[in-house]
Amino acid sequence: MEWLSMLEAFGTGLIGPTAWYVVWTLVKIIIIAVPVILCVAYLTYWERKMIGAMHVRLGPTKVGYRGLLQPFADVFKLLTKELVVPGQANKVLFILAPVVTLMPALAAWAIVPFGPDLVLSNVNAGLLYLMAITSVGVYGVIVAGWASNSKYAFLGAMRAAAQMVSYELAIGFVMITVLLVSGSLNVSEIVWGQDRGMFADTGLNFLSWNWLPLLPLFVIYVVSCVAETNRHPFDVVEGESEIVAGHMVEYSSTAFALFFLGEYANMILLSAMASIMFLGGWLPPVDIAPFTWVPGWLWLGIKTFCVVSLFIWFRATFPRYRYDQIMRLGWKIFIPLTGIWLLIVAIWMQTPWNIWQ
């Protein structure tokens, strides 16, 4: 973009190339992080409103116009409460655990492209970076359960870790298949790969996206993301009637808020990646006006909003699974299915009917 080049030239001349690079990178991080945090806050509002509508209730209505300031009231309430650290807990790890849970969910946005040139770091190994950084979140859960020095918290942490690792394998197989059909680990290239083919040439972009040929993997990915984030109906980790909030049972105030933010930040991140890998990212569904007038980052936001709303829909609809059912679904159904579909796609790509050429 021309104005970006002019801004870079001005900043470089003002404070030098090295200092400008540091300052401009920090500015871009803030531009990404602040909207993501606001989206996390208002996702809690949307969840309460959406479930309220499904249950014929109103949801938040008192704080601000139609309850729009409720997320800020919740944050203020949590920040003003006392942070209680158990006497026998490992205090350093106890405080560090929620930070380890939240930071990977924010750091992963470094490789998420909001448009053709709107990405913080357009690295070639973006998908590999995403898989690595999101895997770190499980350590926060384990450390929280262990550092609390509570049997309930430790039991919840072990169940959470086993569940997260199980469904990360299925998500990994899905990402490998997307890598196979895209021919690149670069996240932007994955989006551009969905802008090719017979349907894209005729303007029907949505029929060239990966959701259609990889529909079983798309379904598995969304369900695995629900389990990965310990959301209902896979929330046995936090089952109040069983182990009283799991690994977070000893947490309060700001530390509890960080765990809460980490869960919702992961929901938005995984929904954004679903939009990028299967729903064309920033690409419009059809290549005609007025769809082409909408900015790419807004298309990505709309698709992410639709996917993350599925998390809420599932919570309002399905009963909670037993823990053995959750583990059986991951190990005996999803992992074999993703492996088989990966083999089918690999064979498909060697035939004359390869649609990803």
Side-chain angles (χ1 to χ4, degrees), residues 45-356:
Y45 172 83
W46 171 239
E47 179 174 30
R48 294 164 74 177
K49 279 291 189 181
M50 184 175 176
I51 294 180
M54 290 181 171
H55 292 174
V56 199
R57 293 184 288 107
L58 294 178
T61 58
K62 301 299 183 185
V63 185
Y65 176 72
R66 294 184 180 274
L68 284 173
L69 296 180
Q70 186 64 49
F72 294 98
D74 294 337
V75 170
F76 181 75
K77 178 190 70 174
L78 286 170
L79 293 180
T80 53
K81 287 184 176 293
E82 180 184 4
L83 177 59
V84 179
V85 180
Q88 300 300 316
N90 186 314
K91 293 179 175 56
V92 175
L93 294 179
F94 186 85
I95 300 298
L96 186 63
V99 178
V100 174
T101 302
L102 176 62
M103 292 313 296
L106 298 180
W109 285 92
I111 52 89
V112 174
F114 299 92
D117 300 311
L118 295 176
V119 58
L120 178 61
S121 181
N122 193 26
V123 295
N124 289 328
L127 205 60
L128 184 62
Y129 168 83
L130 178 76
M131 295 173 67
I133 198 70
T134 53
S135 299
V136 175
V138 69
Y139 290 102
V141 173
I142 294 173
V143 170
W146 185 83
S148 299
N149 197 24
S150 165
K151 291 182 175 62
Y152 283 118
F154 188 68
L155 177 60
M158 291 298 99
R159 292 171 69 166
Q163 180 174 317
M164 293 169 73
V165 169
S166 301
Y167 286 89
E168 275 183 4
L169 291 173
I171 292 174
F173 275 119
V174 171
M175 289 185 174
I176 290 173
T177 309
V178 173
L179 161 65
L180 187 66
V181 300
S182 304
S184 175
L185 282 166
N186 187 295
V187 183
S188 297
E189 289 297 325
I190 292 173
V191 177
W192 285 124
Q194 299 175 68
D195 197 29
R196 298 191 297 262
M198 178 182 65
F199 293 113
D201 293 339
T202 60
L204 299 175
N205 294 344
F206 71 98
L207 292 178
S208 68
W209 296 344
N210 286 335
W211 71 269
L212 188 56
L214 303 180
L215 183 58
L217 293 184
F218 179 45
V219 174
I220 290 174
Y221 177 83
V222 171
V223 177
S224 296
C225 288
V226 176
E228 171 76 7
T229 51
N230 296 322
R231 292 280 302 179
H232 196 93
F234 301 98
D235 63 337
V236 293
V237 174
E238 304 169 12
E240 292 83 356
S241 59
E242 301 172 21
I243 49 178
V244 197
H247 58 281
M248 297 186 293
V249 65
E250 300 292 347
Y251 282 88
S252 60
S253 185
T254 307
F256 176 81
L258 291 178
F259 273 117
F260 202 69
L261 290 175
E263 176 182 318
Y264 283 81
N266 272 316
M267 287 168 57
I268 297 175
L269 172 66
L270 294 172
S271 298
M273 289 308 302
S275 304
I276 288 170
M277 293 191 299
F278 296 100
L279 301 177
W282 67 76
L283 299 174
V286 289
D287 199 14
I288 58 173
F291 296 97
T292 53
W293 299 345
V294 179
W297 60 268
L298 186 55
W299 276 123
L300 178 64
I302 292 171
K303 295 170 186 177
T304 302
F305 174 77
C306 292
V307 176
V308 81
S309 295
L310 293 176
F311 286 71
I312 304 171
W313 185 10
F314 295 160
R315 178 177 181 180
T317 305
F318 296 107
R320 180 184 294 151
Y321 288 113
R322 293 198 316 265
Y323 193 72
D324 62 304
Q325 293 173 328
I326 292 174
M327 299 305 287
R328 183 170 66 246
L329 179 66
W331 286 99
K332 294 186 177 181
I333 300 176
F334 280 2
I335 292 177
L337 278 179
T338 50
I340 292 170
W341 201 256
L342 173 61
L343 182 61
I344 292 173
V345 170
I347 297 172
W348 185 358
M349 294 183 69
Q350 303 305 316
T351 67
W353 301 281
N354 181 7
I355 62 175
W356 295 283

